[in-house]
């Protein structure tokens, strides 16, 4: 069974600084996708970034980037130039390529950006 | 605008009562999902449907039922058999984003509480 672990229940960062959220996963599969979702106080889940396991290049989306270490089964999210609007719960998620109906989520990291 | 609409935003259930959560999407997606979110835990899959008139159980289907009579609609019924229904419920649909990326889109959720 696939599991996703987020070891940091809560984190905080000063506005304009950089923060990294950790995620590790456990799987015997070689083809899969990894995701970071953001859930702001409105509770609406928003996709932040997506990584295909077969790609060696780390995904980036504006101020958001990942550090994907396949051998270590690690998938951290880096937020640069943090903004107050980045305050949210962040969920790491995993999905096997051939079973796109089974997405596994970590427990989440609550990030607070302080002014 | 295309999206997923969940209603109501807040719902209260009395003991022994069945309640139904609505989920409607106008994204023309075939696949739809129901997740349960509890504090300190990630999202857990209740049911999913890949096509009209077909649905499959997820990890925590006991005490819940669904129907998929229309492509746009995937209502979830929380039955009296669900002994701990208090949670936040998220509906999602899956489709292709520009660039060939298959991702899940989420509604804003329904908060269910027991009176």
């Amino acid at each position: 069974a696939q599991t996703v672990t987020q070891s940091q229940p809560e984190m905080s960062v000063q506005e304009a600084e950089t923060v990294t959220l950790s995620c590790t996963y456990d799987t015997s599969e070689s083809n899969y996708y990894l995701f970071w979702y953001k859930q702001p106080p409105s509770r609406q889940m928003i996709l932040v970034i997506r990584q295909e396991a077969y790609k060696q290049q780390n995904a980036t989306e504006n101020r958001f980037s990942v550090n994907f270490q396949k051998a270590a089964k690690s998938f951290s999210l880096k937020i640069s130039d943090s903004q107050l609007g980045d305050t949210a719960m962040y969920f790491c998620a995993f999905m096997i390529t051939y079973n796109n109906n089974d997405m596994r989520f970590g427990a989440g990291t609550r990030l607070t950006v302080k002014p | 605008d295309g999206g997923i609409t969940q209603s109501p935003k807040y719902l209260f259930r009395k003991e022994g009562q069945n309640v139904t959560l609505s989920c409607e999407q106008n994204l023309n997606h075939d696949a739809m999902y129901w997740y349960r979110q509890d504090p300190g835990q990630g999202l857990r899959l209740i049911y999913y449907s890949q096509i009209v008139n077909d649905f499959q159980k997820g990890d925590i289907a006991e005490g819940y039922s669904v129907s998929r009579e229309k492509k746009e609609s995937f209502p979830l019924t929380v039955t009296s058999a669900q002994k701990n229904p208090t949670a936040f419920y998220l509906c999602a649909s899956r489709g292709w984003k520009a660039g060939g990326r298959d991702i899940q889109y989420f509604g804003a959720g329904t908060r269910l509480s027991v009176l």
Side-chain angles (χ1 to χ4, degrees), chain A residues 44-112:
Chain A
Q44 177 91 48
M45 293 279 282
I46 303 164
L47 178 66
V48 175
I49 203 163
R50 178 185 190 263
Q51 174 81 41
E52 291 88 346
Y54 68 85
K55 290 186 177 179
Q56 293 186 346
Q57 185 174 10
N58 289 324
T60 62
E61 289 285 345
N62 301 314
R63 298 182 295 104
F64 299 87
S65 62
V66 298
N67 183 6
F68 174 47
Q69 302 289 328
K70 191 172 184 179
K73 297 179 182 176
S74 171
F75 183 61
S76 60
L77 174 70
K78 186 171 82 171
I79 306 174
S80 304
D81 186 24
S82 297
Q83 301 176 359
L84 296 178
D86 295 334
T87 293
M89 281 288 287
Y90 287 82
F91 292 95
C92 178
F94 169 100
M95 184 174 73
I96 301 172
T97 306
Y98 62 80
N99 185 4
N100 51 15
N101 293 307
D102 186 13
M103 183 175 283
R104 299 285 164 169
F105 289 83
T109 295
R110 183 176 302 280
L111 176 68
T112 301

Side-chain angles (χ1 to χ4, degrees), chain B residues 66-102:
Chain B
V66 293
S67 62
R68 187 84 186 277
E69 298 177 0
K70 299 186 300 181
K71 186 175 185 178
E72 301 80 16
S73 179
F74 190 40
L76 173 74
T77 297
V78 184
T79 74
S80 57
Q82 174 48 249
K83 298 307 179 187
N84 183 24
T86 296
F88 188 67
Y89 292 85
L90 283 161
C91 177
S93 68
R94 177 170 54 81
W96 293 90
K97 193 175 179 181
R101 301 195 304 174
D102 180 16

